[in-house]
Amino acid sequence: MLIPGLEADLAHVPGTRSERKQTAIVGAAAEVFLSTGYAGASMDEIVSRSGVSKQTVYKHFSSKEALFVAVMSQMTGEADTAVRIGLPKVEDRAQLKAYLLAYAVRQLTIVLTPGLMQLRRLVIAEAQRFPELAKVLYARGSARALEVMASAFEQLADENLLQFSDATVAASQFNWLVMADPVNRVMMLGDEAIPTQQEIRRHAEAAIATFLAAFLHPDQR
């Protein structure tokens, strides 16, 4: 059974035959990694589940670590795409609030999925033995989101919509206001703690109100 969020009818995956094989390998690897952990994952089991030869697996991925990085890339790809969305035209407080709310709701909806939460737990569990895996997940997740958000905040400050001394600090505080409590709950309590869309929106609205109380430019008050 495929991990939720990764299901695919591989016979209908677009691309070349080689690309379809790579998709099958990554999908099988995700199953194995998330069910047994990184250390316990067997390349033989991944080969068996993928339906391709061991030679083909190693042709695409030189090591188990490289394959795990590919799994992380696939599972975090949607979140990374979301943070890359450009800054829309924002001219006043109402538009600023709408932009921040849309961003927060989108990020929470993407991150708070069973597959990504399971991946996060796996990497944390393996962080001491395999610190490079944690570094990759951090770089592709939190660090990337902070970088993009800090850049957007700098543009908003130039338009006299936000005011701060350090854009990265402001982005970090925004991130923690939005993400910390929901993510921690799901990390500790499991899939049953994943909030509804109504709960996500209510939480995001409260987080943004707190953020704007600290960082809204005086001209917008």
Side-chain angles (χ1 to χ4, degrees), residues 32-92:
V32 176
F33 284 129
L34 295 181
S35 61
T36 67
Y38 179 79
S42 162
M43 290 296 279
D44 287 340
E45 177 66 16
I46 293 170
V47 169
S48 176
R49 293 196 189 199
S50 68
V52 303
S53 69
K54 180 178 290 189
Q55 181 180 7
T56 299
V57 170
Y58 281 103
K59 178 182 177 181
H60 286 278
F61 304 100
S62 60
S63 65
K64 185 166 76 169
E65 182 177 354
L67 185 48
F68 189 77
V69 170
V71 170
M72 283 197 288
S73 297
Q74 176 174 309
M75 296 184 70
T76 60
E78 188 177 0
D80 185 57
T81 298
V83 302
R84 290 173 183 268
I85 294 175
L87 180 66
K89 191 172 182 61
V90 178
E91 297 182 329
D92 55 32

Side-chain angles (χ1 to χ4, degrees), residues 104-123:
V105 169
R106 184 173 63 246
Q107 283 297 95
L108 282 168
T109 300
I110 291 170
V111 170
L112 295 175
T113 60
L116 279 178
M117 287 293 97
Q118 195 172 352
L119 177 67
R120 189 183 183 96
R121 294 187 198 101
L122 168 59
V123 172

Side-chain angles (χ1 to χ4, degrees), residues 48-220:
S48 176
R49 293 196 189 199
S50 68
V52 303
S53 69
K54 180 178 290 189
Q55 181 180 7
T56 299
V57 170
Y58 281 103
K59 178 182 177 181
H60 286 278
F61 304 100
S62 60
S63 65
K64 185 166 76 169
E65 182 177 354
L67 185 48
F68 189 77
V69 170
V71 170
M72 283 197 288
S73 297
Q74 176 174 309
M75 296 184 70
T76 60
E78 188 177 0
D80 185 57
T81 298
V83 302
R84 290 173 183 268
I85 294 175
L87 180 66
K89 191 172 182 61
V90 178
E91 297 182 329
D92 55 32
R93 178 175 179 167
Q95 291 177 348
L96 173 63
K97 184 177 179 181
Y99 162 69
L100 294 175
L101 179 60
Y103 181 94
V105 169
R106 184 173 63 246
Q107 283 297 95
L108 282 168
T109 300
I110 291 170
V111 170
L112 295 175
T113 60
L116 279 178
M117 287 293 97
Q118 195 172 352
L119 177 67
R120 189 183 183 96
R121 294 187 198 101
L122 168 59
V123 172
I124 290 173
E126 304 283 14
Q128 190 167 4
R129 287 186 295 176
F130 306 102
E132 292 304 315
L133 301 180
K135 289 178 181 178
V136 171
L137 182 60
Y138 179 76
R140 294 176 183 274
S142 300
R144 175 60 179 158
L146 289 179
E147 176 187 343
V148 173
M149 183 53 71
S151 177
F153 283 0
E154 287 175 346
Q155 295 178 58
L156 293 169
D158 289 341
E159 298 295 328
N160 291 332
L161 291 163
L162 294 177
Q163 185 178 64
F164 43 75
S165 58
D166 188 316
T168 300
V169 171
S172 178
Q173 294 190 4
F174 176 84
N175 179 70
W176 280 99
L177 283 168
V178 171
M179 305 296 291
D181 183 62
V183 170
N184 284 341
R185 284 178 180 271
V186 178
M187 285 288 292
M188 298 297 293
L189 302 178
D191 295 352
E192 292 183 359
I194 294 176
T196 64
Q197 279 295 301
Q198 183 179 11
E199 290 169 336
I200 285 176
R201 186 177 181 86
R202 187 164 58 244
H203 170 78
E205 288 174 341
I208 290 164
T210 301
F211 177 80
L212 291 178
F215 294 105
L216 186 67
H217 194 281
D219 289 353
Q220 301 298 324

